[in-house]
Amino acid sequence: MPWKHTGEAMVFERGTRLSAGAVIVACMVLLGPSAPNGVFSAEAPPVTAARDVVPNRVMTWNICNPCGESNVARAAEIARFAPQVIGLQEACERDVARIRDHLENLYGLVYHVEYGAVLRNWGRCGGVPWNPGGYGQAILSAAPMTDRVKAEYPDGGSEDRGYMAVTTLVGDRPVRVFNTHLAQRRQEAVRAEQTVVLAEEIARYDRAIVLGDFNAVPDTPELSGMWALAEDTDPRCRPPATGACTPTTDWRSKFDYIFLRNIAPLRHHVWRTPYSDHDVLHTDVAT
């Protein structure tokens, strides 16, 4: 069995076979999720096959690497909500490629993908010693993506961190989409510097969606620059009312955000998945 701690994810890797994973997915369809009390804002739909993406729906998920979880199971969690745009953090490029293939082959959901790797790490992502796997962020979008930017923060803290940005369609309108993962929880000063860099880029766009794991609860000083530019999809989740926020991690803190700049949220949903130490967060927006 894999294990994971409640800080930055660190687990033993275990291999999976596609055939075995397909059986697991089939069981999930028949039986539903096994984790009790897994739904916070609404009942999650069952995993079904061959359906279209949901327009105007965006999602963020730290998928926990290296966690030894099945990419078939990860694809099933994404297919459960079928977002138009997905931001993944702690993402190994090989895993994301397999997730995308499973989404198409098992569920008929076709996505384009852009990678925002900030380091190459054999311990996290495998590969061979002279060519370890890329690790960082990724964005999947049902529509093509243009004007990709990939950047590392000047100071990543204890591990390289960065952000990526693309222009793609949300609904039927072009939107600038950012995806980031900030420094670890006890590195507040580093995160403050990182959000300054990120906010300068976001401010260049009248309309933007910012996805990511910010490793900080809403009222922390390092997020003040984000709140000056955008609002989280959860209307209760803004300083100083931190107690009303729906938690998004196994240690029951709100670390994951979908910041909206001049875009109105319609509804949001937090799904407590058993496949990561971060929950799935998605929102429908009015574009």
Side-chain angles (χ1 to χ4, degrees), residues 77-247:
E77 292 292 75
I78 294 171
R80 190 183 297 277
F81 305 105
Q84 188 175 12
V85 176
I86 306 152
L88 300 177
Q89 303 88 42
E90 294 196 13
C92 293
E93 291 183 356
R94 292 184 182 92
D95 286 336
V96 174
R98 291 168 184 143
I99 290 168
R100 182 181 62 167
D101 288 345
H102 295 326
L103 286 166
E104 181 173 0
N105 296 332
L106 297 175
Y107 304 104
L109 299 170
V110 179
Y111 289 99
H112 303 266
V113 63
E114 292 286 353
Y115 299 101
V118 293
L119 58 88
R120 294 197 169 272
N121 188 292
W122 182 85
R124 282 189 180 270
C125 296
V128 293
W130 56 90
N131 186 25
Y135 170 86
Q137 288 73 246
I139 294 177
L140 290 80
S141 175
M145 292 173 275
T146 60
D147 302 321
R148 188 196 73 156
V149 169
K150 181 186 77 170
E152 292 188 35
Y153 293 118
D155 183 358
S158 55
E159 181 180 75
D160 292 350
R161 294 291 164 93
Y163 71 88
M164 61 182 299
V166 300
T167 297
T168 191
L169 296 181
V170 175
D172 58 1
R173 295 185 62 186
V175 178
R176 194 64 171 169
V177 178
F178 293 81
N179 184 19
T180 192
H181 186 192
L182 299 191
Q184 294 182 5
R185 284 186 289 163
R186 295 176 179 85
Q187 300 174 11
E188 294 86 351
V190 176
R191 288 198 301 274
E193 295 175 357
Q194 292 171 347
T195 54
V196 168
V197 173
L198 181 61
E200 288 178 353
E201 287 300 309
I202 296 168
R204 297 174 54 212
Y205 298 89
D206 291 334
R207 300 172 68 253
I209 298 174
V210 187
L211 312 170
D213 172 7
F214 284 75
N215 271 319
V217 295
D219 65 343
T220 50
E222 60 263 35
L223 292 189
S224 60
M226 294 301 305
W227 293 116
L229 291 172
E231 294 185 354
D232 184 59
T233 183
D234 186 344
R236 302 170 303 170
C237 208
R238 54 180 62 113
T242 59
C245 291
T246 303

Side-chain angles (χ1 to χ4, degrees), residues 14 29 53 59 75 91 96 118 130 169 173 247-248 272 282 285:
R14 58 180 172 83
V29 173
V53 299
M59 167 181 159
V96 174
V118 293
W130 56 90
L169 296 181
R173 295 185 62 186
T248 63
R272 192 171 182 184
H282 75 74
V285 301

